[in-house]
Amino acid sequence: MADVQQALDFVRANGERYLSELKDFVSIPSISTLDENKPDVQRAAEWVAEQLRSLGMDKVQIMPTALHPVVYGEWMGAGKSAPTVMIYGHYDVQPVDPLELWTADPFKPEAHDDYLFGRGVSDMKGQVVASLKAVEAIVRTTGLPVNIKWLVEGEEEIGSEHLEDFIKKNKDMLKCDFCLNPDAGMIAPDKPTITTGLRGLAYFELRVYGPDKDLHSGLFGGALHNPAQALIELVAGMHDRDGKIKLPGFYDNVRKLSKQERKDFKRLPTSDKELKKLMGVPALWGEKKFIPAERIGARPTLEVNGLLSGFTGQGSKTVIPAWAMAKISCRLVPDQTPEETEKQLRKYLKKNAPKTIRWELKNLHNAGAALVETDSPGIQALAKALETVWGKHPYFKREGGSIGSVILLKKYVGAESILSGFGLPDDNVHSPNERLHLPTWYKGIEAFTHFFYNL
Ligand code: BES
Ligand code: MN
Protein backbone atom coordinates (compact mmCIF):
# COMPACT_ATOMS: atom_id res chain seq x y z
CA MET A 1 0.00 0.00 0.00
CA ALA A 2 1.24 3.48 -0.81
CA ASP A 3 2.65 5.33 2.19
CA VAL A 4 0.15 8.14 2.06
CA GLN A 5 -2.77 5.72 1.94
CA GLN A 6 -1.68 4.06 5.18
CA ALA A 7 -1.56 7.44 6.89
CA LEU A 8 -4.94 8.49 5.46
CA ASP A 9 -6.49 5.26 6.71
CA PHE A 10 -5.10 6.06 10.13
CA VAL A 11 -6.69 9.54 10.02
CA ARG A 12 -10.07 8.01 9.14
CA ALA A 13 -9.86 5.34 11.81
CA ASN A 14 -8.94 7.89 14.48
CA GLY A 15 -11.16 10.82 13.52
CA GLU A 16 -13.32 10.64 16.62
CA ARG A 17 -10.41 10.55 18.99
CA TYR A 18 -8.86 13.50 17.13
CA LEU A 19 -12.03 15.48 17.75
CA SER A 20 -12.12 14.56 21.41
CA GLU A 21 -8.51 15.70 21.85
CA LEU A 22 -9.37 18.98 20.15
CA LYS A 23 -12.18 19.41 22.68
CA ASP A 24 -9.70 18.88 25.55
CA PHE A 25 -7.43 21.55 24.12
CA VAL A 26 -10.29 24.02 23.58
CA SER A 27 -11.46 23.47 27.18
CA ILE A 28 -8.37 25.32 28.42
CA PRO A 29 -9.22 29.07 28.54
CA SER A 30 -5.82 30.29 27.31
CA ILE A 31 -6.73 33.96 26.85
CA SER A 32 -3.36 35.62 26.46
CA THR A 33 -4.43 39.21 27.07
CA LEU A 34 -5.93 38.64 30.56
CA ASP A 35 -3.71 38.33 33.67
CA GLU A 36 -6.25 36.11 35.39
CA ASN A 37 -5.82 33.46 32.68
CA LYS A 38 -2.05 33.21 32.92
CA PRO A 39 -2.13 29.76 34.56
CA ASP A 40 -4.48 28.55 31.80
CA VAL A 41 -2.12 29.82 29.14
CA GLN A 42 0.64 27.80 30.81
CA ARG A 43 -1.61 24.72 30.89
CA ALA A 44 -2.29 25.06 27.17
CA ALA A 45 1.47 25.16 26.55
CA GLU A 46 1.82 21.99 28.58
CA TRP A 47 -0.95 20.35 26.58
CA VAL A 48 0.91 21.07 23.35
CA ALA A 49 4.22 19.88 24.78
CA GLU A 50 2.59 16.62 25.89
CA GLN A 51 1.24 16.08 22.37
CA LEU A 52 4.70 16.63 20.90
CA ARG A 53 6.22 14.17 23.35
CA SER A 54 3.63 11.53 22.51
CA LEU A 55 4.50 11.97 18.82
CA GLY A 56 8.08 11.06 19.66
CA MET A 57 9.44 14.55 19.02
CA ASP A 58 12.87 15.32 20.47
CA LYS A 59 13.97 18.31 22.54
CA VAL A 60 10.40 19.10 23.56
CA GLN A 61 10.58 22.17 25.76
CA ILE A 62 8.34 24.87 27.16
CA MET A 63 10.63 27.83 26.71
CA PRO A 64 9.87 30.93 28.78
CA THR A 65 9.68 34.43 27.33
CA ALA A 66 9.02 37.68 29.16
CA LEU A 67 5.32 36.74 29.16
CA HIS A 68 3.89 33.51 27.70
CA PRO A 69 6.14 30.59 26.76
CA VAL A 70 6.95 29.09 23.39
CA VAL A 71 6.60 25.34 22.93
CA TYR A 72 9.35 23.79 20.86
CA GLY A 73 9.99 20.28 19.63
CA GLU A 74 11.75 18.68 16.65
CA TRP A 75 12.34 15.46 14.82
CA MET A 76 15.40 15.46 12.60
CA GLY A 77 15.47 11.75 11.82
CA ALA A 78 14.83 12.09 8.08
CA GLY A 79 18.44 13.09 7.55
CA LYS A 80 20.32 15.93 5.92
CA SER A 81 19.08 15.26 2.41
CA ALA A 82 15.42 15.67 3.43
CA PRO A 83 13.83 19.10 3.85
CA THR A 84 13.21 20.58 7.30
CA VAL A 85 9.74 22.01 7.74
CA MET A 86 8.82 24.25 10.62
CA ILE A 87 5.21 24.06 11.77
CA TYR A 88 4.00 27.24 13.42
CA GLY A 89 0.99 27.55 15.65
CA HIS A 90 -0.43 29.53 18.57
CA TYR A 91 -2.17 28.04 21.59
CA ASP A 92 -3.56 31.34 22.90
CA VAL A 93 -7.05 32.67 22.18
CA GLN A 94 -8.97 35.95 22.22
CA PRO A 95 -11.27 37.01 25.10
CA VAL A 96 -14.86 35.77 25.01
CA ASP A 97 -16.87 38.83 25.95
CA PRO A 98 -19.72 39.58 25.41
CA LEU A 99 -20.31 36.24 27.11
CA GLU A 100 -24.11 36.59 27.13
CA LEU A 101 -24.16 36.27 23.34
CA TRP A 102 -22.71 32.75 23.44
CA THR A 103 -25.30 30.00 23.29
CA ALA A 104 -23.00 27.66 25.26
CA ASP A 105 -19.93 27.93 27.47
CA PRO A 106 -17.01 28.96 25.19
CA PHE A 107 -14.71 26.59 27.07
CA LYS A 108 -17.03 23.57 27.11
CA PRO A 109 -16.86 22.79 23.40
CA GLU A 110 -19.91 21.07 21.96
CA ALA A 111 -20.50 19.68 18.48
CA HIS A 112 -23.82 20.42 16.80
CA ASP A 113 -24.39 19.04 13.32
CA ASP A 114 -21.30 19.86 11.30
CA TYR A 115 -19.82 22.37 13.73
CA LEU A 116 -17.77 22.36 16.90
CA PHE A 117 -18.37 25.50 19.01
CA GLY A 118 -15.89 27.11 21.41
CA ARG A 119 -13.32 29.89 21.72
CA GLY A 120 -10.28 29.03 19.62
CA VAL A 121 -11.79 26.06 17.75
CA SER A 122 -11.07 27.79 14.44
CA ASP A 123 -8.46 30.39 15.50
CA MET A 124 -6.41 28.34 15.89
CA LYS A 125 -6.54 25.35 18.18
CA GLY A 126 -8.36 23.38 15.48
CA GLN A 127 -5.58 24.20 13.04
CA VAL A 128 -2.86 23.26 15.54
CA VAL A 129 -4.59 19.94 16.17
CA ALA A 130 -5.00 19.38 12.41
CA SER A 131 -1.21 19.67 11.99
CA LEU A 132 -0.51 17.52 15.06
CA LYS A 133 -2.88 14.84 13.87
CA ALA A 134 -1.61 14.73 10.30
CA VAL A 135 1.87 14.24 11.72
CA GLU A 136 0.55 11.64 14.18
CA ALA A 137 -0.96 9.62 11.33
CA ILE A 138 2.38 9.63 9.53
CA VAL A 139 4.47 8.89 12.62
CA ARG A 140 2.24 5.95 13.57
CA THR A 141 2.28 4.39 10.10
CA THR A 142 5.20 4.99 7.74
CA GLY A 143 7.32 7.42 9.72
CA LEU A 144 8.00 10.99 8.67
CA PRO A 145 9.60 11.54 5.26
CA VAL A 146 10.82 15.03 6.30
CA ASN A 147 12.41 16.69 9.33
CA ILE A 148 10.11 18.88 11.37
CA LYS A 149 10.42 21.62 13.98
CA TRP A 150 7.46 22.90 15.96
CA LEU A 151 7.13 26.50 17.10
CA VAL A 152 3.90 27.01 19.02
CA GLU A 153 3.57 30.37 20.75
CA GLY A 154 1.20 31.85 23.32
CA GLU A 155 1.16 35.52 22.36
CA GLU A 156 -0.13 35.60 18.78
CA GLU A 157 -3.43 37.18 19.75
CA ILE A 158 -1.56 40.01 21.50
CA GLY A 159 0.89 40.77 18.73
CA SER A 160 3.61 38.13 19.35
CA GLU A 161 5.46 40.74 21.39
CA HIS A 162 8.12 38.48 22.87
CA LEU A 163 8.45 36.17 19.91
CA GLU A 164 10.94 38.51 18.26
CA ASP A 165 13.35 38.20 21.13
CA PHE A 166 12.81 34.44 21.24
CA ILE A 167 13.48 33.95 17.54
CA LYS A 168 16.52 36.22 17.66
CA LYS A 169 18.00 34.20 20.52
CA ASN A 170 17.23 30.82 18.96
CA LYS A 171 18.07 31.39 15.31
CA ASP A 172 20.16 28.23 14.96
CA MET A 173 17.65 25.99 16.67
CA LEU A 174 14.93 27.32 14.35
CA LYS A 175 16.82 26.86 11.09
CA CYS A 176 14.53 25.32 8.48
CA ASP A 177 13.69 25.38 4.78
CA PHE A 178 10.30 26.99 5.27
CA CYS A 179 7.45 27.28 7.74
CA LEU A 180 3.95 25.85 7.40
CA ASN A 181 1.62 28.33 9.09
CA PRO A 182 -1.99 27.10 9.33
CA ASP A 183 -3.29 30.30 10.96
CA ALA A 184 -4.82 31.68 7.74
CA GLY A 185 -8.08 30.36 6.33
CA MET A 186 -10.20 29.40 3.35
CA ILE A 187 -12.66 31.39 1.24
CA ALA A 188 -15.41 28.74 1.47
CA PRO A 189 -15.73 25.01 2.24
CA ASP A 190 -15.52 24.16 -1.47
CA LYS A 191 -12.74 26.66 -2.20
CA PRO A 192 -9.30 25.53 -1.03
CA THR A 193 -7.14 28.59 -0.47
CA ILE A 194 -3.50 29.52 -0.13
CA THR A 195 -2.96 32.91 1.50
CA THR A 196 -0.29 35.05 -0.15
CA GLY A 197 -0.19 38.07 2.10
CA LEU A 198 -1.26 39.45 5.46
CA ARG A 199 -1.74 42.93 6.78
CA GLY A 200 0.26 44.29 9.68
CA LEU A 201 -1.17 45.90 12.78
CA ALA A 202 -0.42 48.80 15.10
CA TYR A 203 -2.65 48.89 18.17
CA PHE A 204 -3.13 51.90 20.45
CA GLU A 205 -5.00 53.11 23.48
CA LEU A 206 -5.90 56.79 23.38
CA ARG A 207 -7.02 58.50 26.57
CA VAL A 208 -8.45 61.99 26.79
CA TYR A 209 -8.60 63.72 30.19
CA GLY A 210 -10.84 66.66 31.13
CA PRO A 211 -11.88 67.70 34.65
CA ASP A 212 -10.12 66.01 37.60
CA LYS A 213 -13.37 64.20 38.51
CA ASP A 214 -16.82 63.55 37.02
CA LEU A 215 -18.84 66.79 37.27
CA HIS A 216 -22.51 67.76 37.58
CA SER A 217 -23.47 68.57 34.00
CA GLY A 218 -25.92 71.28 35.12
CA LEU A 219 -23.54 73.05 37.46
CA PHE A 220 -20.65 73.07 35.00
CA GLY A 221 -21.91 72.02 31.53
CA GLY A 222 -21.28 74.84 29.04
CA ALA A 223 -18.06 75.96 30.65
CA LEU A 224 -15.77 73.08 29.74
CA HIS A 225 -15.03 70.73 26.83
CA ASN A 226 -16.51 67.32 27.54
CA PRO A 227 -13.64 64.80 27.12
CA ALA A 228 -15.97 62.20 25.59
CA GLN A 229 -16.92 64.75 22.96
CA ALA A 230 -13.30 65.80 22.44
CA LEU A 231 -12.32 62.16 21.94
CA ILE A 232 -14.99 61.46 19.37
CA GLU A 233 -14.17 64.68 17.54
CA LEU A 234 -10.58 63.51 17.30
CA VAL A 235 -11.61 60.03 16.22
CA ALA A 236 -14.12 61.34 13.69
CA GLY A 237 -11.41 63.48 12.10
CA MET A 238 -9.23 60.45 11.41
CA HIS A 239 -11.21 59.64 8.24
CA ASP A 240 -12.57 61.83 5.48
CA ARG A 241 -15.95 61.31 3.85
CA ASP A 242 -14.49 58.92 1.27
CA GLY A 243 -13.06 56.59 3.90
CA LYS A 244 -9.47 57.78 3.50
CA ILE A 245 -7.32 58.06 6.60
CA LYS A 246 -6.22 61.56 7.56
CA LEU A 247 -3.10 60.83 9.61
CA PRO A 248 -0.29 62.91 8.06
CA GLY A 249 1.79 60.80 5.66
CA PHE A 250 -0.31 57.66 6.25
CA TYR A 251 -0.35 56.60 2.60
CA ASP A 252 3.22 57.65 1.73
CA ASN A 253 4.67 54.14 1.93
CA VAL A 254 1.62 52.16 0.84
CA ARG A 255 2.76 49.95 -2.02
CA LYS A 256 0.64 50.39 -5.13
CA LEU A 257 -1.23 47.46 -6.62
CA SER A 258 -0.10 46.37 -10.07
CA LYS A 259 -2.60 45.84 -12.89
CA GLN A 260 -2.12 42.09 -12.54
CA GLU A 261 -2.75 42.19 -8.77
CA ARG A 262 -5.95 44.16 -9.31
CA LYS A 263 -7.07 41.60 -11.90
CA ASP A 264 -6.40 38.78 -9.43
CA PHE A 265 -8.48 40.53 -6.79
CA LYS A 266 -11.37 40.96 -9.23
CA ARG A 267 -11.33 37.24 -10.00
CA LEU A 268 -11.90 36.19 -6.37
CA PRO A 269 -15.30 34.56 -5.93
CA THR A 270 -16.76 36.55 -2.99
CA SER A 271 -19.49 38.99 -4.04
CA ASP A 272 -20.42 42.26 -2.31
CA LYS A 273 -23.79 40.76 -1.52
CA GLU A 274 -22.30 37.75 0.23
CA LEU A 275 -19.91 39.95 2.15
CA LYS A 276 -22.76 42.17 3.31
CA LYS A 277 -24.65 39.14 4.53
CA LEU A 278 -21.59 37.62 6.21
CA MET A 279 -20.98 40.81 8.19
CA GLY A 280 -24.67 41.48 8.83
CA VAL A 281 -24.51 45.14 7.77
CA PRO A 282 -27.04 47.19 5.76
CA ALA A 283 -24.35 48.46 3.37
CA LEU A 284 -20.63 48.18 2.68
CA TRP A 285 -18.27 51.06 3.40
CA GLY A 286 -14.68 51.99 2.59
CA GLU A 287 -12.33 53.59 0.08
CA LYS A 288 -14.31 54.17 -3.08
CA LYS A 289 -11.50 53.47 -5.53
CA PHE A 290 -10.98 49.89 -4.38
CA ILE A 291 -13.21 46.83 -4.32
CA PRO A 292 -13.87 45.21 -0.90
CA ALA A 293 -11.40 42.34 -1.43
CA GLU A 294 -8.66 44.92 -2.11
CA ARG A 295 -9.73 47.04 0.83
CA ILE A 296 -9.43 43.98 3.09
CA GLY A 297 -6.35 42.37 1.57
CA ALA A 298 -4.20 45.20 0.31
CA ARG A 299 -5.28 48.58 1.73
CA PRO A 300 -4.61 49.94 5.22
CA THR A 301 -7.36 50.83 7.67
CA LEU A 302 -7.89 52.64 10.94
CA GLU A 303 -10.47 51.10 13.26
CA VAL A 304 -12.05 51.92 16.59
CA ASN A 305 -12.09 48.66 18.52
CA GLY A 306 -13.82 50.09 21.55
CA LEU A 307 -14.89 53.31 23.27
CA LEU A 308 -15.34 53.98 26.96
CA SER A 309 -16.43 57.03 28.88
CA GLY A 310 -18.75 58.31 31.58
CA PHE A 311 -21.97 56.78 32.77
CA THR A 312 -23.05 53.64 30.91
CA GLY A 313 -25.15 51.93 33.58
CA GLN A 314 -28.92 51.56 33.77
CA GLY A 315 -31.03 54.69 33.63
CA SER A 316 -29.61 58.18 33.55
CA LYS A 317 -27.06 60.22 35.40
CA THR A 318 -26.32 63.85 34.54
CA VAL A 319 -22.58 63.92 34.47
CA ILE A 320 -19.63 65.20 32.52
CA PRO A 321 -17.02 62.42 32.57
CA ALA A 322 -13.49 63.07 33.72
CA TRP A 323 -11.97 61.02 30.92
CA ALA A 324 -12.66 59.04 27.76
CA MET A 325 -10.79 56.20 26.11
CA ALA A 326 -10.61 54.65 22.66
CA LYS A 327 -8.85 51.49 21.54
CA ILE A 328 -7.65 52.27 18.04
CA SER A 329 -5.80 50.04 15.62
CA CYS A 330 -4.46 50.33 12.10
CA ARG A 331 -4.15 47.42 9.70
CA LEU A 332 -1.04 48.04 7.63
CA VAL A 333 0.18 46.92 4.24
CA PRO A 334 3.65 46.78 2.67
CA ASP A 335 5.70 49.03 3.04
CA GLN A 336 4.13 50.71 6.07
CA THR A 337 5.57 50.04 9.53
CA PRO A 338 3.91 50.19 12.96
CA GLU A 339 6.65 52.60 14.15
CA GLU A 340 5.87 55.12 11.41
CA THR A 341 2.17 54.72 12.07
CA GLU A 342 2.63 55.63 15.71
CA LYS A 343 4.55 58.77 14.70
CA GLN A 344 1.78 59.73 12.26
CA LEU A 345 -0.90 59.24 14.88
CA ARG A 346 1.03 61.34 17.40
CA LYS A 347 1.49 64.06 14.79
CA TYR A 348 -2.24 64.04 14.08
CA LEU A 349 -3.05 64.30 17.78
CA LYS A 350 -0.52 67.10 18.38
CA LYS A 351 -2.00 69.05 15.52
CA ASN A 352 -5.69 68.41 16.24
CA ALA A 353 -6.10 67.93 19.96
CA PRO A 354 -7.72 71.02 21.50
CA LYS A 355 -6.10 72.94 24.39
CA THR A 356 -9.16 72.11 26.51
CA ILE A 357 -8.08 68.53 27.22
CA ARG A 358 -4.96 66.47 27.89
CA TRP A 359 -4.27 63.27 25.93
CA GLU A 360 -2.11 60.19 26.32
CA LEU A 361 -1.33 57.59 23.69
CA LYS A 362 -0.03 54.11 24.42
CA ASN A 363 1.13 51.63 21.81
CA LEU A 364 -0.13 48.22 22.94
CA HIS A 365 1.29 45.93 20.27
CA ASN A 366 2.41 45.69 16.67
CA ALA A 367 2.81 43.23 13.82
CA GLY A 368 4.41 43.74 10.42
CA ALA A 369 2.65 43.27 7.07
CA ALA A 370 3.86 40.46 4.86
CA LEU A 371 3.72 39.20 1.32
CA VAL A 372 4.93 35.64 0.86
CA GLU A 373 6.33 33.63 -2.03
CA THR A 374 3.68 32.16 -4.29
CA ASP A 375 5.85 29.70 -6.13
CA SER A 376 8.18 27.48 -4.13
CA PRO A 377 8.47 23.71 -3.63
CA GLY A 378 6.53 24.06 -0.38
CA ILE A 379 3.68 25.99 -2.00
CA GLN A 380 3.57 23.45 -4.82
CA ALA A 381 3.38 20.58 -2.35
CA LEU A 382 0.51 22.29 -0.53
CA ALA A 383 -1.31 23.24 -3.75
CA LYS A 384 -1.11 19.65 -4.92
CA ALA A 385 -2.34 18.35 -1.55
CA LEU A 386 -5.34 20.71 -1.59
CA GLU A 387 -6.09 19.74 -5.17
CA THR A 388 -5.99 16.04 -4.30
CA VAL A 389 -8.41 16.43 -1.41
CA TRP A 390 -10.78 19.05 -2.86
CA GLY A 391 -10.52 18.05 -6.51
CA LYS A 392 -9.79 21.61 -7.61
CA HIS A 393 -6.99 24.15 -7.87
CA PRO A 394 -6.61 26.34 -4.79
CA TYR A 395 -7.37 30.05 -4.89
CA PHE A 396 -4.50 32.40 -4.03
CA LYS A 397 -5.57 35.32 -1.88
CA ARG A 398 -4.16 38.18 0.20
CA GLU A 399 -5.85 38.28 3.59
CA GLY A 400 -6.57 41.14 5.95
CA GLY A 401 -5.59 39.57 9.29
CA SER A 402 -2.15 39.70 10.88
CA ILE A 403 0.29 37.09 12.15
CA GLY A 404 3.40 38.48 13.80
CA SER A 405 5.63 35.45 13.21
CA VAL A 406 5.61 35.72 9.41
CA ILE A 407 8.02 38.63 9.03
CA LEU A 408 9.98 37.66 12.14
CA LEU A 409 10.81 34.22 10.72
CA LYS A 410 11.70 35.77 7.39
CA LYS A 411 13.90 38.41 9.01
CA TYR A 412 15.85 36.30 11.52
CA VAL A 413 15.71 32.74 10.17
CA GLY A 414 15.30 33.47 6.46
CA ALA A 415 12.24 31.20 6.41
CA GLU A 416 9.28 31.88 4.14
CA SER A 417 5.87 31.07 5.58
CA ILE A 418 3.33 29.01 3.74
CA LEU A 419 -0.02 30.37 4.84
CA SER A 420 -2.73 27.78 5.03
CA GLY A 421 -5.52 26.69 7.36
CA PHE A 422 -9.08 25.45 7.25
CA GLY A 423 -11.01 28.15 9.05
CA LEU A 424 -13.93 29.75 7.19
CA PRO A 425 -15.12 33.36 6.97
CA ASP A 426 -18.29 32.50 8.92
CA ASP A 427 -16.47 30.76 11.79
CA ASN A 428 -17.08 33.78 14.08
CA VAL A 429 -13.42 34.12 14.98
CA HIS A 430 -12.89 36.73 17.72
CA SER A 431 -16.72 36.87 17.99
CA PRO A 432 -19.32 35.06 20.10
CA ASN A 433 -20.09 31.45 19.10
CA GLU A 434 -16.81 30.76 17.34
CA ARG A 435 -17.14 27.52 15.43
CA LEU A 436 -15.24 25.06 13.28
CA HIS A 437 -16.69 23.33 10.24
CA LEU A 438 -15.79 19.72 10.98
CA PRO A 439 -16.05 18.25 7.46
CA THR A 440 -13.60 20.93 6.29
CA TRP A 441 -11.36 20.27 9.28
CA TYR A 442 -11.15 16.55 8.49
CA LYS A 443 -10.35 17.35 4.87
CA GLY A 444 -7.66 19.69 6.17
CA ILE A 445 -6.04 16.90 8.19
CA GLU A 446 -5.96 14.78 5.05
CA ALA A 447 -4.53 17.65 3.00
CA PHE A 448 -1.70 18.18 5.52
CA THR A 449 -1.02 14.45 5.45
CA HIS A 450 -0.64 14.58 1.65
CA PHE A 451 1.47 17.71 1.99
CA PHE A 452 4.22 15.99 3.98
CA TYR A 453 4.51 13.15 1.47
CA ASN A 454 4.37 15.54 -1.49
CA LEU A 455 7.45 17.29 -0.16
N1 BES B 1 -5.67 33.79 12.39
C1 BES B 1 -5.61 35.19 12.64
C2 BES B 1 -5.01 35.96 11.49
C3 BES B 1 -5.76 35.88 10.20
C4 BES B 1 -7.07 36.31 10.15
C5 BES B 1 -5.14 35.44 9.07
C6 BES B 1 -7.77 36.23 8.96
C7 BES B 1 -5.82 35.37 7.89
C8 BES B 1 -7.14 35.76 7.84
C9 BES B 1 -4.79 35.46 13.89
O1 BES B 1 -4.97 34.57 14.92
C10 BES B 1 -5.21 36.79 14.43
O2 BES B 1 -6.35 37.01 14.69
N2 BES B 1 -4.25 37.67 14.59
C11 BES B 1 -4.45 38.93 15.21
C12 BES B 1 -3.06 39.47 15.40
C13 BES B 1 -2.93 40.79 16.02
C14 BES B 1 -3.45 40.81 17.41
C15 BES B 1 -1.49 41.23 15.95
C16 BES B 1 -5.28 39.82 14.31
O3 BES B 1 -5.15 39.76 13.08
O4 BES B 1 -6.07 40.59 14.85
MN1 MN C 1 -6.89 35.36 15.95
Side-chain angles (χ1 to χ4, degrees), residues 93-105:
V93 301
Q94 290 268 337
V96 293
D97 56 287
L99 188 58
E100 65 278 12
L101 294 185
W102 287 76
T103 51
D105 187 328

Side-chain angles (χ1 to χ4, degrees), residues 185-201:
M186 287 177 52
I187 297 171
D190 63 343
K191 296 185 172 65
T193 310
I194 292 178
T195 296
T196 59
L198 293 167
R199 288 192 289 187
L201 187 75

Side-chain angles (χ1 to χ4, degrees), residues 335-353:
D335 299 299
Q336 293 176 296
T337 65
E339 292 74 24
E340 279 163 11
T341 307
E342 179 172 352
K343 279 189 198 143
Q344 293 158 357
L345 180 53
R346 284 188 188 280
K347 218 174 184 179
Y348 169 88
L349 291 169
K350 271 190 194 132
K351 194 166 150 232
N352 295 287

Side-chain angles (χ1 to χ4, degrees), residues 29-42 67-68 92-97 107 154 157-158 327:
S30 47
I31 304 168
S32 50
T33 201
L34 302 178
D35 292 341
E36 69 206 60
N37 291 93
K38 203 164 177 215
D40 303 310
V41 176
Q42 179 71 27
L67 186 58
H68 300 310
D92 64 323
V93 301
Q94 290 268 337
V96 293
D97 56 287
F107 298 111
E157 297 292 6
I158 47 172
K327 303 263 187 187

